[in-house]
Amino acid sequence: MPSRSLSQLDRALRGLRSLVLSGEYVGGQRLSEVAMAAQLGLSRTPLRQAMDRLVAEGLLERIETGGCRVASFTKDDISDAIEMRGVIEGTAARLAAERGVDAALLAQAGAILDRIDQALAAPDGLDFDRYVTQNAAFHDLLAKFPNSPIVAREIQRMSLLPLASPSAFLSDQAMIPDFQESLRYAQRQHRAILEAVTAGEGARAEALTREHARLALINFNHLNKSRPMLTRNVPGLALVASD
Amino acid sequence: MPSRSLSQLDRALRGLRSLVLSGEYVGGQRLSEVAMAAQLGLSRTPLRQAMDRLVAEGLLERIETGGCRVASFTKDDISDAIEMRGVIEGTAARLAAERGVDAALLAQAGAILDRIDQALAAPDGLDFDRYVTQNAAFHDLLAKFPNSPIVAREIQRMSLLPLASPSAFLSDQAMIPDFQESLRYAQRQHRAILEAVTAGEGARAEALTREHARLALINFNHLNKSRPMLTRNVPGLALVASD
DNA sequence: TTTTGTAATATTGTATACAATTCTGGATTG
DNA sequence: CAATCCAGAATTGTATACAATATTACAAAA
């Protein structure tokens, strides 16, 4: 049976995370546990578990006197989060290059990049959904290259911060100028990363992967210029102070 | 009143973490919540909160069918954790160099390094306690250099993994050959890191900091050679499979 | 008018009770 | 003898009740 009945904790996590990212509760006000539990239709126990977890993820922050509030991020925070993801993914790429990667994984990565190429060569210029899916798959796979649970964990963790994940800015292409060109550039970087890893070129793999992450930074900056109208569309953007 | 009465959750966290690190519950067996709660003298509620947190830290791992067990680490895991700490601390150093650091912080760091020098020049050859304290202070301060909550958080998080913190191997000097010499080498690296940061030399600061972390790796390898007798003395070492 | 104290209220932190699973052991069957 | 199934026991997941703490509103005093 593939569809296990979701636990209350899972429901609380999904519901709470989505509510928080929507920006509805932004403003530093304390989240009321009873109200939230009622809204989500569960008891305080799993809700509090979910809150603890979101605090650990950084989406919520504790209030000294009790309870928690939605965290708020500066633009610099997002910038740092993206940089950190690049650093950690870059480390994965470097370690992979230095230690070698299972041939099956490399082949799998190559196949993913082929599919991205196909997405970029679609009849109407771009199969966007396919690009998004396969891009996420490539990054997931890269995290597994070094065969290190520690490294994989840290990558996954960084990707939880709002707007720091490799797919964070792929839902809002419309607002990003020359965005198809940007996707093609990103794909060339993908190829170069895989090539460097395969060739055992650690420094190159690391540098390329860092630079690749910085595409997200560019997109973030574009996004900020047409901010107000997007705040409600881009999940997590509402948590970024407009300063 | 400086001594606030500890919350039950705090007590649960301390007690559970110390029990887990002691290695008493190693072996993949599920931790019984009722037994553990009884042993710590509190109810299941704060204990379960503490367990959730230790799972997030990586000290415990969930069991699919419910509950959790003490995590077990390979030597490679420890090695990777140390490497990752080096990478992240290295990023802090690089960013600090690139962005500039508040003069007061730099002065404070210099003062700490002076005190480490004093500890190394003590009458009986070494004021060990002072070295440990000031070394930890230097690393804490370095984490604050880039003035980035995101970076600071990640450093703190990596330091929670067993044997990955900057002070992890400073309690067991006895077993490490030439350990005084090793401390002096580490202190030279401290100086060089601070110099690079001050001079805005990002690449140098990053490389030095990474290399500095690898001292921990050397110590870990030494430790592994005289393993059995130390397993009970070094907190966290019991979680590392002897393979 | 502002500040301070205080009681009432509301909210979180903790313990316990209940429900739903999972685990164990042994009997049964092939 | 091995594998399977089932009941009973034990354990976790969830809800609720209770206790401790923080917040609020209002009154009194400077």
Side-chain angles (χ1 to χ4, degrees), chain B residues 83-177:
Chain B
E83 178 79 15
M84 279 300 299
R85 170 170 67 83
V87 165
I88 300 176
E89 281 190 333
T91 299
R94 172 174 64 84
L95 293 178
E98 289 171 356
R99 301 173 180 180
V101 180
D102 181 48
L105 282 184
L106 288 176
Q108 211 178 326
I112 290 173
L113 294 190
D114 289 344
R115 287 195 282 279
I116 294 186
D117 278 337
Q118 290 164 22
L120 287 170
D124 56 341
L126 172 66
D127 181 343
F128 188 65
D129 286 346
R130 193 172 199 200
Y131 184 96
V132 173
T133 308
Q134 297 302 316
N135 177 70
F138 180 75
H139 283 266
D140 285 348
L141 202 58
L142 179 59
K144 292 178 188 140
F145 272 8
N147 193 27
S148 162
I150 302 285
V151 174
R153 259 178 71 100
E154 288 309 300
I155 292 182
Q156 207 215 343
R157 174 178 161 82
M158 281 313 299
S159 302
L160 286 174
L161 282 176
L163 307 177
S165 102
S167 314
F169 300 98
L170 286 183
S171 356
D172 322 285
Q173 353 79 3
M175 307 317 285
I176 295 165

Side-chain angles (χ1 to χ4, degrees), chain A residues 24-71:
Chain A
E24 189 170 352
Y25 291 94
V26 89
Q29 212 64 17
R30 174 165 64 191
L31 302 187
S32 162
E33 295 181 359
V34 287
M36 191 66 77
Q39 175 164 3
L40 295 176
L42 28 80
S43 81
R44 281 177 60 214
T45 306
L47 173 67
R48 281 169 61 85
Q49 279 183 275
M51 286 174 126
D52 284 347
R53 189 119 137 218
L54 292 204
V55 167
E57 288 181 11
L59 244 53
L60 297 180
E61 57 189 25
R62 284 251 109 72
I63 301 175
E64 293 67 18
T65 65
C68 41
R69 66 167 76 94
V70 174

Side-chain angles (χ1 to χ4, degrees), chain A residues 216-235:
Chain A
L217 189 53
I218 294 178
N219 289 339
F220 176 62
N221 289 333
H222 281 307
L223 220 61
N224 261 313
K225 287 180 185 152
S226 44
R227 181 67 183 291
M229 70 189 69
L230 287 173
T231 298
R232 297 193 172 268
N233 298 344
V234 183

Side-chain angles (χ1 to χ4, degrees), chain A residues 49 52 56-58 77 80 83-84 87-88 91 94 99 148-150 153-154 157-158 206 210, chain B residues 49 52 56-58 77 80 83-84 87-88 91 94 99 148-150 153-154 157-158 161 206 210:
Chain A
Q49 279 183 275
D52 284 347
E57 288 181 11
D77 288 336
D80 289 347
E83 177 78 16
M84 280 299 300
V87 165
I88 299 176
T91 299
R94 173 174 63 85
R99 301 173 180 179
S148 162
I150 303 283
R153 261 178 71 100
E154 288 309 301
R157 173 179 163 80
M158 281 312 300
E206 178 170 9
R210 284 193 188 185
Chain B
Q49 279 183 273
D52 283 346
E57 289 181 11
D77 288 336
D80 288 347
E83 178 79 15
M84 279 300 299
V87 165
I88 300 176
T91 299
R94 172 174 64 84
R99 301 173 180 180
S148 162
I150 302 285
R153 259 178 71 100
E154 288 309 300
R157 174 178 161 82
M158 281 313 299
L161 282 176
E206 178 170 9
R210 284 192 187 184

Side-chain angles (χ1 to χ4, degrees), chain B residues 1-22:
Chain B
M1 246 168 294
S3 90
R4 293 185 53 84
S5 81
L6 243 45
S7 72
Q8 295 294 74
L9 170 57
D10 285 333
R11 270 188 274 270
L13 273 171
R14 290 178 193 227
L16 185 57
R17 190 180 282 123
S18 127
L19 277 176
V20 168
L21 288 177
S22 80

Side-chain angles (χ1 to χ4, degrees), chain A residues 165-215:
Chain A
S165 100
S167 316
F169 299 99
L170 287 183
S171 353
D172 322 285
Q173 354 78 2
M175 307 316 287
I176 294 166
D178 297 326
F179 111 96
Q180 281 209 19
E181 200 277 326
S182 162
L183 295 188
R184 286 173 210 284
Y185 180 50
Q187 167 71 345
R188 292 204 62 161
Q189 290 179 323
H190 290 156
R191 287 276 180 208
I193 290 167
L194 184 54
E195 179 182 295
V197 168
T198 306
E201 298 163 354
R204 182 182 168 216
E206 178 170 9
L208 278 166
T209 306
R210 284 193 188 185
E211 196 62 26
H212 181 61
R214 291 195 185 104
L215 278 184

